[in-house]
């Protein structure tokens, strides 16, 4: 398998379909782009070359690293000149952004690949032209992070990864009682425990619920908010406390309310009863309870779904709540 | 005048000829021959498949095909399966049902995938179509058992009710009792997704009793092992059976009853279900194992010795799904045994039993898959989760199984390199696309550079669907795929450093594809807008749940991007967090 890959017999003048447009403004923008940013080509190469060296040095521990190094270098510089050619040929007239293109998402974001430790080869990320905003740019400083599979915690916090459907995931999670990574011994212990409980449930001749139900239901559960037609789903795995759950829900429903924002009074604190809304949940037995009364782990084992209820709608939920019952009425949507 | 007559067939003859043409592709080709063939064909088209419900409007479909009897629709993008598509995104079927209710009184079959189906939609189906026969709701949501009750009650000749992998609000198990006593037409019933333990078992038994043509039955988890024998004895003609729970305290009479019931099912070829397996009951299956062609144990956490024993009784197995049971002192996952017992194996899916656990390196390795590739040359479809892989293994697999049409490999930790050399897995996946010339579907994982995309673009000429995550270095990667993969229809990408360049350069390519999904990549809002402006045949939708994309500079990357070709124009049922880049649609909500 030749590393110099045929590339479909590409030559300089034949780069495949490019954007077709008759617009003259477009072409003039194209020319503008080329004349304005010819340094991209050089910068890219320099950065590419520079990072190759850095990359090789920092990862002297990798056994496969140094032996393949010379091939890597030539392959990479070939790739870089290839990209440079491509850059000119692609002819994008879009003068978007500039060197300031950077990702700057809100810090509460769920982790994704951008936050992972940098693998050895990822030094190539830094080589992309500045006009393309790439998360890798911020990793240039992060070269020393070792790569030996990364940390398992990172995996469990990435949304939608590994790509297993939620009904299957919930079923697996039920079987394993997994929320956070745990020690091997504990892992084995839990499997044994689980079988014991299973047997016990059968021996008791208990009501035929799922034998694993007493191990808890964790995963994505539905959330509905009074006044909002569309329900949402929240991943309980991603939260370790009522506080983080509540703020995630606030973000989800308050933020996305859009035009409805004006009509809904912002539920600032869902948990302490100081807002128009209260957070309630339906437990295994089908009863609706106030969120926050039981320890978090116990909550996880019994919650089936959530509802953000209007304070005015609440009655007979939990005795404690009645005392705080508010006279203020929320606006109807 | 004479010349014309000599060259033209009466319409009836053409119609009759066309009736033998069933495949959509062929029918589409027929309709392009000439105007009169277009006209004749459209009047006699009975089945329509719409891979993206937003690509065309109900009205347009009805206008072109006035006599449809069967419709299949798909809604949400595939990544919705992994919770990447926020709830409320769309995919509502109600409007389709409403329009078809008026236009297709004889509609008999509705098959939906990843759509939002409400009770209202179900009730409308029940009311509107007198000849309704088939309802398949694959991975749908939004309805409850009330809607199902309406279907059961009204559809007198219902043949198929298949709710596989859907999310149903379980309000009551009594919907099953709504099937009238006169309903004897059921051929297929799949209620495996129902969670409630209130499935009215007696209603189910009576239903099974009076449907002599029932071939396929998938029970839900609430049905206990002791009840299986009852069901099977009532339906010995079953070809495809999904158990409920397969766990019970071992009792000899229950066991022999079960074994006897299974052995009376002479046609049984496919088994699934098996939640909570007690291994001692697996031998009850031995009598039917020799005939089994499909076995789905993907919910069963059974140890590999038990799995090996069971599988060794199934020499005719073509399709196997199971959970790989991880034990750190047992290297043999059972796959080697599988390779020697099941020479006919065509499809293999191996799921991790503990995707988030801290695993020792011994488990979930590439060896099992290599063994299967060696022993099962007919292998066509693979879905395999593991924790380590090597280029050498992938090359071996590629060489052993040149008939692969679907290859989905998920190395659980993103960006994991070849564990032997620490190289990227470019060469390995390159071997897959090079050797498997009929490869239609590919999912990548592990450490990958732009090179893998170069291979894919060069060799993946028949590739129709590609899933990419945490891979690539630059736009060059995306460019290779978009410019090289001639048959590409669906491309889904997450967490890759692909930006504007390749996308804009290959904008025309997007019009030949069904859809493109990109999330957590580096495509700027400005590029999205440009695409929306320049490409009227594409719907360019930006998804952002935190804030409107135009509240930030144009160079900022969008969170999620979904582009699909459409002749219906931008859709009007977008939730607040989806923005259309179509110029005609106001961006601000």
């Amino acid at each position: 398998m030749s590393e110099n890959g045929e590339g479909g017999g590409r030559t300089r003048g034949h780069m495949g379909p490019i954007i077709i447009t008759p617009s003259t403004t477009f072409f003039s923008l194209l020319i503008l782009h080329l004349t304005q940013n010819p340094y991209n080509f050089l910068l890219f190469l320099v950065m590419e070359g520079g990072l190759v060296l850095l990359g090789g040095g920092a990862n002297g521990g990798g056994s496969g690293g140094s032996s393949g190094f010379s091939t890597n270098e030539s392959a990479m510089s070939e790739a870089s000149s290839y990209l440079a050619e491509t850059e000119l040929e692609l002819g994008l007239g879009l003068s978007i952004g500039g060197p300031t293109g950077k990702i700057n998402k809100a810090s509460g974001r769920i982790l994704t690949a951008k936050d992972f430790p940098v693998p050895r080869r990822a030094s190539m990320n830094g080589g992309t032209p500045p006009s393309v905003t790439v998360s890798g740019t911020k990793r240039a400083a992060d070269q020393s992070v070792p790569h030996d599979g990364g940390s398992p915690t990172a995996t469990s916090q990435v949304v939608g990864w590994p790509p297993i459907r939620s009904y299957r995931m919930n079923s697996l999670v039920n079987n394993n009682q997994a929320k956070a990574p745990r020690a091997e011994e504990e892992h084995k212990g839990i499997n044994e425990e689980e079988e014991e409980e299973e047997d016990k449930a059968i021996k008791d001749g208990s009501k035929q619920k799922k034998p694993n139900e007493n191990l808890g239901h964790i995963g994505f559960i539905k959330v509905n908010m009074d006044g909002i037609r569309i329900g949402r789903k929240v991943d309980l795995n991603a939260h370790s406390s009522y506080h983080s759950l509540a703020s995630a829900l606030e973000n989800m429903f308050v933020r996305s309310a859009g035009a409805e924002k004006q009509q809904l009074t912002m539920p600032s604190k869902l948990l302490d009863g100081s807002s128009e809304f209260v957070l309630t949940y339906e437990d295994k037995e089908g009863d609706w309870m106030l969120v926050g009364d039981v320890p978090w782990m116990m909550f996880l084992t019994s919650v089936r779904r959530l509802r953000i209820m209007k304070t005015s709608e609440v009655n007979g939920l939990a005795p404690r709540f009645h005392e705080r019952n508010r006279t203020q009425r929320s606006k109807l949507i | 005048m004479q010349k014309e007559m000599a060259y033209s067939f009466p319409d009836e003859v053409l119609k009759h000829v066309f009736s033998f043409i069933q495949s959509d592709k062929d029918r589409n080709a027929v309709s392009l021959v000439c105007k009169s063939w277009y006209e004749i064909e459209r009047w006699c088209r009975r089945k329509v498949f719409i891979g993206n419900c937003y690509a065309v409007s109900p009205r347009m479909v009805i206008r072109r095909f006035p006599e449809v009897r069967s419709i299949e629709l798909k809604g949400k993008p595939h990544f919705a399966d992994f919770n990447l598509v926020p709830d409320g995104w769309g995919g509502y079927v109600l409007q389709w049902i409403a329009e078809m209710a008026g236009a297709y009184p004889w509609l008999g079959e509705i098959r939906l995938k990843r759509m939002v189906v409400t009770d209202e939609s179900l009730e409308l189906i029940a009311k509107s179509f007198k000849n309704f026969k088939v309802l398949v709701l694959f991975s749908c949501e939004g309805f409850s058992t009330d809607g199902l009750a309406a279907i059961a009650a009204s559809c007198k000749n219902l043949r198929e009710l298949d709710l596989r992998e859907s999310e149903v609000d379980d309000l009551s198990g009594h919907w099953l009792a709504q099937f009238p006593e006169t309903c004897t037409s059921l051929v297929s019933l799949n209620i495996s997704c129902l969670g409630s333990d209130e499935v009215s078992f007696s209603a189910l038994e009576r239903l099974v009793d009076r449907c002599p043509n029932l071939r396929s039955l998938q029970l839900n988890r609430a049905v206990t092992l002791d009840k299986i024998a009852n069901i099977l004895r009532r339906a010995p003609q079953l070809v495809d059976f999904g158990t409920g729970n397969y766990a019970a305290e071992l009792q000899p009479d229950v066991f022999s009853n079960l074994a006897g019931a299974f052995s009376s099912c002479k046609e049984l070829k496919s088994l699934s279900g098996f939640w909570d397996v007690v291994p001692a009951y697996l031998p009850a299956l031995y009598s039917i194992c020799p005939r089994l062609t499909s076995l789905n144990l993907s919910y069963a956490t059974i140890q590999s010795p038990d799995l090996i024993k069971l599988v060794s009784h199934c020499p005719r197995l073509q399709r196997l799904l199971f959970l790989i049971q991880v034990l750190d002192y047992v290297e043999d996952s059972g796959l080697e045994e599988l390779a020697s017992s099941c020479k006919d194996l065509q499809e293999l899916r191996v799921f991790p039993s503990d995707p988030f656990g801290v695993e020792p390196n011994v488990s979930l390795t590439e060896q099992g898959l290599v063994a299967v590739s060696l022993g099962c040359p007919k292998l066509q479809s693979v879905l395999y989760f593991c924790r380590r892989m090597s280029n050498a293994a992938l090359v071996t697999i590629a060489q052993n199984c040149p008939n692969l049409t679907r290859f989905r490999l998920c190395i659980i930790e993103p960006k994991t390199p070849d564990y032997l050399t620490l190289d990227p897995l470019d060469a390995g996946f390159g071997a897959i696309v090079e050797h498997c010339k009929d490869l239609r579907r590919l999912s990548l994982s592990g450490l990958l550079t732009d090179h893998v995309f170069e291979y894919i673009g060069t060799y993946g000429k028949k590739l129709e669907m590609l899933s990419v995550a945490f891979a690539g270095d630059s736009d060059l990667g995306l460019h290779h795929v978009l410019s090289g993969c001639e048959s590409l229809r669906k491309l889904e990408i997450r967490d890759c450093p692909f930006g504007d360049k390749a996308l804009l350069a290959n904008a025309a390519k997007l019009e030949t594809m069904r859809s493109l999904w990109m999330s957590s990549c580096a495509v700027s809002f400005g590029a999205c807008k440009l695409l929306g402006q320049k490409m009227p045949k594409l719907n360019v939708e930006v998804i952002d749940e935190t804030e409107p994309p135009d509240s930030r500079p144009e160079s900022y990357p969008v969170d999620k991007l979904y582009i699909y070709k459409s002749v219906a124009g931008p859709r009007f049922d977008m939730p607040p967090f989806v923005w259309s880049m179509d110029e005609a649609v106001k961006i601000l909500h």
Side-chain angles (χ1 to χ4, degrees):
Chain A
M1 170 107 9
S2 137
E3 181 134 18
N4 295 337
E6 281 304 315
R10 282 201 188 89
T11 57
R12 208 196 149 96
H14 181 67
M15 288 307 298
I18 57 172
I19 189 166
I20 302 161
T21 167
S23 152
T24 48
T25 359
F26 182 84
F27 278 112
S28 53
L29 277 177
L30 153 67
I31 294 161
L32 214 53
H33 172 76
L34 289 176
T35 50
Q36 274 183 345
N37 303 316
Y39 67 86
N40 279 349
F41 170 78
L42 285 175
L43 190 58
F44 170 77
L45 279 180
V46 166
M47 285 173 76
E48 183 84 325
L51 284 171
V52 164
L53 291 174
L54 269 177
N59 286 280
S63 57
S66 40
S67 57
F69 187 66
S70 51
T71 340
N72 293 347
E73 192 177 32
S74 61
M76 282 211 276
S77 54
E78 190 193 83
S80 64
S81 58
Y82 194 40
L83 179 62
E85 284 177 20
T86 316
E87 214 187 312
L88 297 174
E89 295 289 338
L90 292 183
L92 301 169
L94 205 56
S95 51
I96 287 175
T100 57
K102 251 203 309 224
I103 292 196
N104 188 16
K105 294 274 179 113
S107 55
R109 201 167 180 272
I110 293 172
L111 294 178
T112 65
K114 299 173 186 135
D115 305 293
F116 282 147
V118 177
R120 186 169 61 100
R121 286 302 184 93
S123 55
M124 288 222 254
N125 278 341
T128 47
S131 59
V132 175
T133 56
V134 174
S135 58
T137 48
K138 74 178 181 182
R139 285 196 226 152
D142 226 354
Q143 292 286 327
S144 56
V145 178
H147 175 75
D148 55 353
S151 85
T153 5
T155 310
S156 64
Q157 286 173 4
V158 177
V159 176
W161 192 268
I164 299 175
R165 304 216 27 221
S166 36
Y167 72 84
R168 192 183 290 283
M169 195 74 99
N170 287 346
S171 158
L172 298 179
V173 167
N174 270 338
N175 291 343
N176 293 316
Q177 203 180 18
K179 181 184 185 282
R182 26 169 219 289
E184 278 176 43
E185 308 81 47
E186 213 184 322
H187 172 80
K188 271 196 263 179
I190 283 169
N191 276 339
E192 290 161 30
E193 225 182 319
E194 168 196 320
E195 283 169 30
E196 262 175 60
E197 281 188 14
E198 203 178 304
D199 291 342
K200 197 154 152 262
I202 292 159
K203 281 193 185 111
D204 288 348
S206 52
K207 190 166 159 227
Q208 282 300 335
K209 284 187 182 242
K210 304 177 266 193
N212 287 328
E213 196 162 336
N214 49 6
L215 293 182
H217 169 101
I218 305 168
F220 277 83
I221 59 164
K222 290 192 188 170
V223 193
N224 284 83
M225 178 164 176
D226 286 1
I228 295 184
R229 182 170 67 93
I230 295 164
R232 306 297 298 275
K233 276 201 215 127
V234 67
D235 180 9
L236 291 182
N237 275 329
H239 300 282
S240 50
S241 71
Y242 285 120
H243 179 74
S244 91
L245 175 63
S247 50
L249 291 177
E250 281 170 18
N251 279 336
M252 224 186 260
F253 284 95
V254 173
R255 289 292 209 153
S256 65
E260 293 167 17
K261 240 182 187 177
Q262 309 310 322
Q263 288 148 13
L264 285 177
T265 17
M266 311 288 184
S268 51
K269 288 282 181 191
L270 283 172
L271 293 175
D272 66 3
S274 67
S275 77
E276 295 291 325
F277 291 84
V278 269
L279 185 56
T280 63
Y281 71 102
E282 184 186 25
D283 70 2
K284 283 186 301 193
E285 274 92 45
D287 299 323
W288 286 92
M289 318 273 283
L290 193 64
V291 163
D293 278 351
V294 300
W296 174 254
M297 287 308 294
M298 201 186 300
F299 168 70
L300 284 184
T301 62
S302 56
V303 62
R304 265 177 45 179
R305 55 180 159 160
L306 293 168
R307 179 176 162 198
I308 302 172
M309 214 182 268
K310 279 190 234 165
T311 311
S312 54
E313 301 268 324
V314 173
N315 51 37
L317 249 197
R320 193 174 116 218
F321 184 79
H322 272 302
E323 291 159 32
R324 284 190 265 126
N325 204 7
R326 305 179 67 69
T327 50
Q328 185 181 354
R329 293 281 169 251
S330 58
K331 267 195 209 169
L332 290 173
I333 304 306
Chain B
M1 235 357 210
Q2 253 183 337
K3 238 187 192 170
E4 265 180 40
M5 281 176 63
Y7 288 130
S8 69
F9 283 119
D11 287 0
E12 292 77 32
V13 174
L14 280 173
K15 235 179 169 171
H16 182 69
V17 172
F18 292 170
S19 69
F20 293 102
I21 301 171
Q22 303 292 345
S23 110
D24 289 324
K25 276 203 181 109
D26 293 341
R27 283 235 163 208
N28 292 342
V30 158
S31 65
L32 290 174
V33 168
C34 63
K35 276 201 182 130
S36 65
W37 280 38
Y38 176 91
E39 276 301 307
I40 297 166
E41 193 282 320
R42 79 182 186 91
W43 278 95
C44 66
R45 175 117 41 149
R46 297 279 176 264
K47 258 173 57 156
V48 178
F49 167 79
I50 296 163
N52 175 4
C53 64
Y54 291 118
V56 67
S57 74
R59 207 156 297 171
M60 287 168 153
V61 175
I62 291 168
R63 199 166 55 216
R64 178 169 171 191
F65 301 116
E67 304 258 321
V68 164
R69 303 264 198 274
S70 157
I71 189 153
E72 184 173 346
L73 285 166
K74 295 190 182 178
K76 299 188 205 175
H78 172 240
F79 272 177
D81 284 355
F82 315 124
N83 297 300
L84 287 176
V85 177
D87 270 8
W89 173 85
Y92 306 106
V93 81
L94 184 60
Q95 209 217 334
W96 284 89
I97 308 287
E99 302 230 25
M100 292 190 302
Y104 297 148
W106 296 109
L107 189 69
E109 304 181 3
I110 296 179
R111 294 175 169 85
L112 306 175
K113 186 169 182 182
R114 276 188 221 106
M115 293 198 77
V116 178
V117 181
T118 55
D119 284 345
E120 194 186 341
S121 311
L122 292 176
E123 281 152 18
L124 196 52
I125 293 174
K127 233 178 19 194
S128 317
F129 306 114
K130 299 302 164 205
N131 198 30
F132 199 69
K133 295 204 167 67
V134 172
L135 183 63
V136 177
L137 302 178
F138 189 164
S139 203
C140 296
E141 57 171 358
F143 60 102
S144 77
T145 44
D146 285 353
L148 295 177
I151 297 282
S154 310
C155 303
K156 302 190 167 40
N157 294 312
L158 198 65
R159 275 202 335 244
E160 261 184 69
L161 181 59
D162 185 341
L163 307 173
R164 66 175 85 165
E165 300 176 19
S166 291
E167 258 183 59
V168 185
D169 253 339
D170 244 321
L171 300 177
S172 138
H174 299 297
W175 68 275
L176 264 176
Q178 297 301 314
F179 279 105
E181 292 298 318
T182 49
C183 173
T184 57
S185 49
L186 267 188
V187 171
S188 168
L189 180 64
N190 181 340
I191 53 172
S192 55
C193 63
L194 292 185
S196 153
D197 48 3
E198 290 168 19
V199 164
S200 167
F201 194 75
S202 51
L204 180 64
E205 273 185 319
R206 286 198 307 274
L207 186 59
V208 172
D209 246 340
R210 63 179 186 270
C211 294
N213 296 319
L214 193 66
R215 290 272 182 273
S216 174
L217 176 64
Q218 277 78 36
L219 304 172
N220 66 334
R221 197 172 182 171
V223 177
T224 53
L225 184 141
D226 52 300
K227 303 225 165 58
I228 294 177
N230 290 350
I231 291 281
L232 287 178
R233 291 209 191 276
R234 285 170 160 77
Q237 74 282 4
L238 281 178
V239 173
D240 182 4
F241 180 60
T243 72
N245 239 305
Y246 206 71
E249 194 183 319
L250 185 57
Q251 286 165 343
D253 51 338
V254 173
F255 181 94
S256 57
N257 196 14
L258 187 61
F262 270 118
S263 65
S264 70
C265 297
K266 304 292 182 200
E267 315 276 337
L268 204 46
K269 291 207 169 53
S270 164
L271 286 179
S272 59
F274 294 108
W275 286 281
D276 312 309
V277 169
V278 161
Y281 275 106
L282 287 176
L285 302 169
Y286 285 174
S287 59
I288 48 163
C289 283
R291 287 189 292 269
L292 274 187
T293 56
S294 168
L295 185 55
N296 182 349
L297 293 166
S298 60
Y299 297 103
T301 48
I302 58 180
Q303 310 295 345
S304 93
D306 297 312
L307 180 69
I308 293 172
K309 241 196 308 178
L310 181 63
V311 154
S312 64
H313 282 84
C314 309
R316 295 240 179 90
L317 211 55
Q318 293 171 12
R319 184 170 185 261
L320 176 65
L321 291 75
F322 70 99
L323 279 182
I324 198 140
Q325 191 54 1
V326 172
L327 296 169
D328 58 350
Y329 52 86
V330 174
E331 282 198 37
D332 179 5
S333 55
L335 285 166
E336 287 80 4
E337 177 62 39
L338 172 70
S340 60
S341 317
C342 307
K343 294 300 178 192
D344 282 346
L345 198 68
Q346 292 172 18
E347 179 176 351
L348 176 69
R349 296 194 192 198
V350 177
F351 299 94
S353 63
D354 189 9
F356 296 136
V358 181
E359 297 304 340
N361 289 331
V362 163
S363 57
L364 292 182
T365 71
E366 80 289 5
Q367 288 170 8
L369 187 56
V370 173
V372 172
S373 76
L374 210 52
C376 309
K378 295 191 192 170
L379 203 57
Q380 281 177 20
S381 170
V382 170
L383 170 59
Y384 193 78
F385 284 82
C386 61
R387 287 195 181 269
R388 75 173 199 203
M389 186 52 64
S390 67
N391 281 310
L394 284 170
V395 171
T396 307
I397 293 166
Q399 288 169 342
N400 290 339
C401 297
N403 296 322
L404 281 176
T405 54
R406 288 182 287 264
F407 187 74
R408 294 192 277 165
L409 182 70
C410 178
I411 304 168
I412 291 178
E413 190 62 36
K415 305 204 185 197
T416 305
D418 179 329
Y419 77 97
L420 294 168
T421 64
L422 295 185
D423 285 335
L425 290 168
D426 300 337
F429 279 105
I432 296 276
V433 286
E434 188 184 358
H435 291 277
C436 307
K437 305 217 184 292
D438 289 324
L439 196 68
R440 289 195 318 258
R441 183 168 180 184
L442 178 64
S443 297
L444 305 172
S445 59
L447 181 64
L448 297 164
T449 70
D450 285 344
H451 281 309
V452 72
F453 298 110
E454 202 178 338
Y455 294 135
I456 293 173
T458 306
Y459 296 109
K461 295 306 178 189
K462 295 225 179 128
L463 199 62
E464 294 177 9
M465 181 168 178
L466 179 65
S467 309
V468 185
F470 307 108
D473 311 305
S474 72
D475 275 56
L476 199 51
L478 181 57
H479 176 69
H480 284 311
V481 170
L482 290 176
S483 57
C485 298
E486 292 158 3
S487 313
L488 196 63
R489 288 188 302 119
K490 289 181 278 187
L491 180 57
E492 46 186 26
I493 301 171
R494 62 164 296 177
D495 293 276
C496 296
F498 298 146
D500 302 341
K501 284 188 172 17
L503 201 56
L504 294 175
N506 292 283
K509 169 73 174 177
L510 299 177
E511 283 179 354
T512 68
M513 291 165 54
R514 183 187 295 176
S515 65
L516 167 67
W517 169 278
M518 289 178 78
S519 56
S520 305
C521 296
V523 179
S524 72
F525 181 54
C528 296
K529 284 209 294 192
L530 187 65
L531 269 176
Q533 281 167 26
K534 298 283 178 199
M535 312 296 292
K537 294 190 205 160
L538 295 179
N539 280 2
V540 180
E541 293 177 8
V542 170
I543 300 171
D544 197 322
E545 292 178 88
T546 52
E547 49 188 356
D550 56 357
S551 67
R552 298 185 291 245
E554 284 206 353
S555 59
Y556 266 60
V558 297
D559 183 21
K560 297 173 182 169
L561 173 63
Y562 187 51
I563 303 175
Y564 55 92
K565 70 175 175 205
S566 174
V567 292
R571 57 185 179 115
F572 297 107
D573 61 358
M574 291 179 291
F577 51 85
V578 176
W579 283 269
S580 163
M581 298 294 106
D582 194 284
E583 283 198 309
V585 175
K586 286 218 165 68
I587 290 175
L588 290 171
H589 281 240

